[in-house]
Amino acid sequence: MREIIAVVLFFAIASTAMPVAVVFSGGGGRGAYEVGVYGALLDLGQDIEGIYGSSVGALNAAGLISEGFEAARDLWCSMDYSELMNASPQLYELIQGNIAQLETLELASAMRTLTSNNGIDIEPLRNKMKEIIAEEKVRESEIELGIVLYSLSEMKPYALYKASIPEGKLIDFVLASANFPAFTREEIDGEVFIDGGVYSNFPLFMAKERGHRDVVAVDLIGMYFGDSLAYVNIFTDGMDVTLIQPSEQFGTVMTFDSEVSKNYLICGYLDTMKAYEVLRGEKYFIFGDEDPLRDHFLSLDSESRIEALKLLGLDGVKDECAEYHYYRQFIPWLESTLKTPYMKTSELVSSLLEEMADFLEVERLIAYSPSGLLRAVLAAYRADDFRDERDLDYLTIYRRLLVFLEYLHRQKPFEVQSSAEFRSFQELFQSSVGLLKQTYSPRGHISH
């Protein structure tokens, strides 16, 4: 069923899709994001020819080639740090950088453990990798694997493709690529290795070496976007690179928590759908480009329209048609208020809703229809919660707009419009990430 939905929904994209290579950066506990990106690429019908990774990107690459998306997804969304390393809660807080959370004696004990045992033991991670990586499957797969690591013994980097990794040693070399400096050093046949990110945390060069033209590059660390593009451009001669980065960070590179991983997974999926223009929006994820205010406003009687405009400080022109009130009075006022002239009205209204949703802290890791985002904004707003609000945008813009929207809703309740295409996308999205999310405002109001 999922495959049928994907074909119907993304036929235009999938029918023109070219074979792609995927490059995964290092980023520790943020690795679930890469799995979310991969799931979206599959749903978009992309033919993935190779995966090249550094550090956690190498672990994800081998796991996805071996056992596939769903196994990698379920692993990330069910594990915590105790399944990856032998570390006390105090030591785990220390490597996350949460020093303020520790008492002086706890900090001293954690520091002694870290320095006296030659690093943190990651035998649990090795056992986990044996569950998710079958060397035979990786070698038999048509998908190329490439990893980077750094030899402390030889003081030189290695860029290895699966054919150049000795038989029976694939998991060892993948773990060596992910040997974070705080971990016990990885030793293979007497040679000591450290994390591949020391050499190249973002191994685009491997995709180029293999002759790939279309590349999806996932940067977990989230350099400033311009810097990332500058870095990518060094390697893009002859390649078309789609750069995907987390639009939000939920933890440090050493945060291994199932709830954090779920957020990264969902974010990776949605960011990818936005990169491929299935979804749009600046901060939120919006499917479709209709204007949810237009038809609603136009359906009101003249007296109600004039009263609504009055709430914005506008004098509605009597005896004018609904289109005049909307396009000649409301829209110019909105353009001036948001300082965004020359936008399509649907984009202008979406921009308005995103700004208010962000202010109200509406859940963003959801795909919304425009009308769904409008309802989420209304559900998150209670005027009494903002009696003492001193935010300038609220006082000068949002309060008027929210009162305006509430008035329209009282005259005629807004309905959430869900097209067949949007419902298909929602089903595919929920099936892929394996989760259902609620919309919420931290101020306490919940809606579905």
Side-chain angles (χ1 to χ4, degrees), residues 21 49-50 52 144-146 159-164 204-213 239:
E49 290 188 320
Y52 308 94
E144 175 66 290
L145 169 69
L160 302 178
Y161 302 97
K162 63 182 176 183
S164 58
L204 275 166
F205 71 92
M206 300 190 79
K208 186 174 183 179
E209 283 183 354
R210 280 315 208 219
H212 296 288
R213 292 182 57 194
M239 295 195 304

Side-chain angles (χ1 to χ4, degrees), residues 269-281 284-288 366-368 422 425:
Y269 188 97
L270 293 173
D271 282 346
T272 304
M273 288 298 179
K274 188 183 289 187
Y276 279 84
E277 299 182 347
V278 175
L279 300 173
R280 62 185 184 88
Y284 287 78
F285 303 95
I286 304 173
F287 187 101
I366 296 175
Y368 292 96
F422 179 63
F425 176 83

Side-chain angles (χ1 to χ4, degrees), residues 254-274:
M254 292 305 292
T255 301
F256 294 94
D257 175 87
S258 60
E259 290 303 313
V260 170
S261 292
K262 290 172 186 176
N263 285 335
Y264 271 121
L265 179 85
I266 294 171
C267 191
Y269 188 97
L270 293 173
D271 282 346
T272 304
M273 288 298 179
K274 188 183 289 187

Side-chain angles (χ1 to χ4, degrees), residues 247-248 271 274 280-285 354 357-358 362 364:
S247 56
E248 183 175 351
D271 282 346
K274 188 183 289 187
R280 62 185 184 88
E282 290 297 318
K283 186 175 180 68
Y284 287 78
F285 303 95
E354 285 196 85
D358 187 30
V362 170
R364 67 179 292 269

